[in-house]
Amino acid sequence: MLIVDLDLSRPATIVSASAALATHRQSGAPFLFLLRDMSPRSQMQANALGAQAILPAETPPSALLDKVGAMLGLLRDSGPETVLQRRFVRASAAFAGLLEAAGSDGPLPVQAINDSVEAINRAADDGNLDTWLDMVWQHDDATYQHCLLVSGLVAAFARKLGFGESDRQLMTTAAVLHDVGKARIPLDILRKPGRLTPAERAVICQHPQIGHDMLVAQGGFAPAVLAAVLSHHEMLDGSGYPHGIGADRIPDPVRMITICDIYAALIERRSYKAPMSPEEAFATLIGMGDKLDRDLLRAFGNVVLSSSVARLGKMTARPAASAAAEDAA
């Protein structure tokens, strides 16, 4: 399909566009026109040039992506899966705005963050975590994939624990922002198709502090969100980073996000390793022993793998457990 953004108030532009679009019209490619002037005259000109759909140029990215998906046949008109797809598209679009702003040293877009939180929490209300995960795994960008995956898991976890709406919003906001510091990590490290060297790992381990400092500098973020961004790689036994704090300084919301973060890394499809099955990933979390909160881990099992909960405490540490935190970096 083609998305056309032209000033159709200028006759010369219309003539040029007609010639340029002729071949594509003959091929049957759908045209979506974005108009800066939604007057009847401009819409008539767009239709004459072959528009199948017309939107104002200032249409929000989420609505634009909805329309593109519908025109490509990716989104059906009705049904629960379509609703979930639309929520995923909105969340993904919001993440694009968030990471772009973070990477360019601009202020983080609070409305985009709120939009993504709302979309993810409503998706969790649908209770179809497997479908959400399937959509996430189709995303090309590893950072988007991880953030969307962790956020969906946290939203489902908070809902399962019976959190109220305001607490769910806080938890999901923390999850959405937990890796925002990665937007300022060099891309050759962030997207390296393999395991990191010690020097590269030292760089990427700076992302919690970077993200925390970004949020503090902007202001307006809740203490629970700041704590999650700074401490989601800390372990209860003091072996985590960036500050090696122990259990007495790690609140429950951070512990929840840490569990979701590690689990997400284990089931992700990375170029240098095959994804673990949900059962294998959950067993690996159990094998981490005193690094994670066992009561919360038991509850998390109810979210991702109910049959594994009965085995909690009966599983011994696995060789992969020592690498779990590294995978979650």
Side-chain angles (χ1 to χ4, degrees):
M1 67 175 296
L2 281 82
I3 300 178
V4 183
D5 183 359
L6 296 172
D7 181 1
L8 298 184
S9 66
R10 301 177 57 186
T13 300
I14 295 171
V15 172
S16 298
S18 180
L21 295 173
T23 300
H24 301 289
R25 263 199 310 274
Q26 294 169 2
S27 72
F31 293 177
L32 169 60
F33 273 68
L34 304 180
L35 299 185
R36 302 179 185 282
D37 169 16
M38 288 293 287
S39 67
R41 178 178 177 81
S42 290
Q43 293 190 49
M44 180 180 67
Q45 293 289 1
N47 287 326
L49 290 170
Q52 274 81 39
I54 298 171
L55 290 175
E58 64 272 16
T59 297
S62 58
L64 176 60
L65 288 171
D66 276 354
K67 175 59 72 173
V68 169
M71 292 179 71
L72 291 175
L74 300 176
L75 301 176
R76 293 179 294 279
D77 291 335
S78 61
E81 187 169 333
T82 299
V83 172
L84 188 60
Q85 286 176 317
R86 292 184 187 280
R87 287 171 178 154
F88 175 79
V89 167
R90 290 191 176 95
S92 183
F95 267 109
L98 169 62
L99 294 178
E100 181 180 359
S104 62
D105 295 334
L108 300 182
V110 174
Q111 187 57 53
I113 294 168
N114 292 338
D115 288 347
S116 67
V117 169
E118 175 67 15
I120 293 165
N121 279 340
R122 298 293 73 82
D125 287 340
D126 294 337
N128 196 341
L129 184 59
D130 287 343
T131 301
W132 177 268
L133 299 184
D134 286 340
M135 293 176 187
V136 171
W137 281 324
Q138 293 173 21
H139 209 299
D140 290 336
D141 188 281
T143 301
Y144 282 39
Q145 183 184 115
H146 181 72
C147 289
L148 287 163
L149 188 53
V150 174
S151 298
L153 289 167
V154 168
F157 197 0
R159 184 178 186 276
K160 187 68 174 181
L161 291 178
F163 282 26
E165 184 63 28
S166 61
D167 288 332
R168 290 177 63 194
Q169 185 175 17
L170 194 66
M171 285 294 304
T172 307
T173 300
V176 165
L177 291 169
H178 84 284
D179 267 350
V180 68
K182 286 185 177 178
R184 296 186 184 173
I185 299 296
L187 287 178
D188 58 341
I189 294 178
L190 199 62
R191 296 180 178 174
K192 182 179 179 180
R195 290 200 176 274
L196 303 175
T197 66
E200 291 167 338
R201 181 163 175 76
V203 172
I204 207 166
C205 284
Q206 298 173 19
H207 79 269
Q209 188 70 58
I210 293 171
H212 176 266
D213 292 348
M214 288 167 56
L215 300 188
V216 170
Q218 179 163 330
F221 294 96
V225 173
L226 297 177
V229 172
L230 180 62
S231 301
H232 63 278
H233 284 293
E234 301 286 4
M235 298 292 148
L236 301 189
D237 63 356
S239 63
Y241 68 89
H243 299 301
I245 62 176
D248 58 331
R249 296 175 58 190
I250 304 176
D252 285 350
V254 177
R255 298 180 186 201
M256 291 173 62
I257 290 174
T258 298
I259 289 171
C260 294
D261 189 34
I262 298 173
Y263 180 85
L266 295 174
I267 65 171
E268 280 169 12
R269 298 167 183 175
R270 299 190 178 184
S271 60
Y272 60 85
K273 71 173 185 68
M276 287 188 181
S277 68
E279 186 173 79
E280 189 178 14
F282 188 66
T284 299
L285 293 179
I286 294 169
M288 292 179 69
D290 293 337
K291 294 180 182 295
L292 303 175
D293 187 304
R294 294 180 68 80
D295 291 333
L296 286 173
L297 187 54
R298 180 180 292 106
F300 184 66
N302 279 319
V303 177
V304 296
L305 195 66
S306 297
S307 61
S308 291
V309 177
R311 297 196 292 277
L312 186 61
K314 299 179 181 178
M315 296 183 180
T316 57
R318 300 159 45 83
S322 61
E326 181 178 349
D327 285 332

